[in-house]
Amino acid sequence: MRLRLTPRDTSYFDLFAASAAHLVTGANLLAEMLGADRATRKELNKRMAATEHAADDATHTIMRRLNQTFVTPFDRDDIYDLASSLDDCMDYMDEASDLMVLYKIGELPARVSDQVQVLQRAAELTAEAMPRLRSMESLQEYWVEINRLENQADKSHRKLLAEMFDEIADPILLMKLKEIVEKLEDAADAFEKVANTVETIALKES
């Protein structure tokens, strides 16, 4: 690690950990929504919205602190990118949740659960990784596994789209479902961006 002669504001690490914890909550809420009826989905979507607001607050706190802090634990642009990427993960999951309710979706294609399971695992790994930013140790396994999960999500996404186009005759329903699964795919991509940002930070700090 590089020798530092000036004190650092280490509260960023707690803020990143808090932000990632909201992602775990969001991914688990998505999993609950899959098999829920419409009334239950509405309640779960309200909880998702509250989680998204809490995640937004964490992001805004990071951004405010970034503007107020002279010495940061690592590159300012990387702090901004990491906070923004964590926020994107939550936003895409929230959008998918919203669309399930707004479009009054009934039963979702079975393979959607594969996408959500990837998001749950990615959220768990991200939440476990954030505290390790303090030492920059044992992070390589995290970003390697996230990249593997994102590749898995890509394959699942392609298979899901193919099945939907083969099996769903109603073009309006197809369009609605396609938008939802695209948001879930966007969330998987956002988790990979978080991991890539962490890798960049770790390499700079090594």
Side-chain angles (χ1 to χ4, degrees):
M1 298 291 290
R2 292 179 300 179
L3 178 64
R4 293 182 184 274
L5 302 177
T6 52
R8 301 183 300 170
D9 183 348
T10 59
S11 62
Y12 287 102
F13 302 118
D14 295 330
L15 292 169
F16 284 131
S19 184
H22 294 310
L23 300 182
V24 175
T25 302
N28 289 338
L29 285 170
L30 274 180
E32 288 187 60
M33 292 183 77
L34 296 187
D37 57 31
R38 289 182 184 175
T40 305
R41 274 188 189 155
K42 284 185 179 180
E43 291 305 312
L44 291 169
N45 189 49
K46 289 178 183 178
R47 289 168 57 189
M48 178 71 84
T51 303
E52 193 274 335
H53 290 322
D56 267 350
D57 288 343
T59 302
H60 294 322
T61 300
I62 293 170
M63 297 307 184
R64 284 196 301 270
R65 191 170 297 277
L66 192 58
N67 289 329
Q68 297 167 356
T69 307
F70 179 68
V71 180
T72 56
F74 41 85
D75 187 272
R76 303 178 74 87
D77 287 340
D78 290 332
I79 291 175
Y80 177 85
D81 287 345
L82 183 54
S84 298
S85 299
L86 288 166
D87 190 56
D88 285 344
C89 295
M90 189 70 242
D91 285 346
Y92 287 129
M93 290 192 291
D94 180 54
E95 286 178 42
S97 172
D98 251 356
L99 291 173
M100 288 182 202
V101 172
L102 292 173
Y103 287 162
K104 300 177 181 178
I105 299 298
E107 186 177 357
L108 287 152
R111 201 178 287 275
V112 171
S113 66
D114 294 342
Q115 285 188 296
V116 174
Q117 285 173 15
V118 166
L119 297 181
Q120 285 180 287
R121 184 59 182 148
E124 290 169 0
L125 289 169
T126 302
E128 291 169 3
M130 290 302 106
R132 297 203 294 271
L133 287 171
R134 288 180 181 273
S135 62
M136 295 293 169
E137 294 177 357
S138 304
L139 283 166
Q140 184 172 357
E141 288 183 4
Y142 154 68
W143 67 65
V144 168
E145 179 61 10
I146 289 290
N147 283 313
R148 187 195 69 78
L149 285 170
E150 199 280 329
N151 289 334
Q152 179 181 326
D154 282 345
K155 291 179 182 177
S156 178
H157 177 242
R158 290 192 292 269
K159 289 178 182 177
L160 176 55
L161 287 180
E163 289 175 1
M164 285 166 50
F165 278 101
D166 281 343
E167 298 171 6
I168 299 174
D170 182 347
I172 301 300
L173 176 60
L174 178 61
M175 189 165 55
K176 291 177 179 179
L177 290 172
K178 184 176 182 295
E179 189 170 355
I180 292 168
V181 301
E182 292 293 350
K183 293 301 178 184
L184 296 175
E185 173 66 9
D186 288 340
D189 290 341
F191 274 108
E192 184 181 38
K193 185 178 178 184
V194 171
N196 290 343
T197 302
V198 169
E199 181 179 8
T200 296
I201 293 167
L203 291 174
K204 285 182 179 179
E205 294 294 308
S206 63

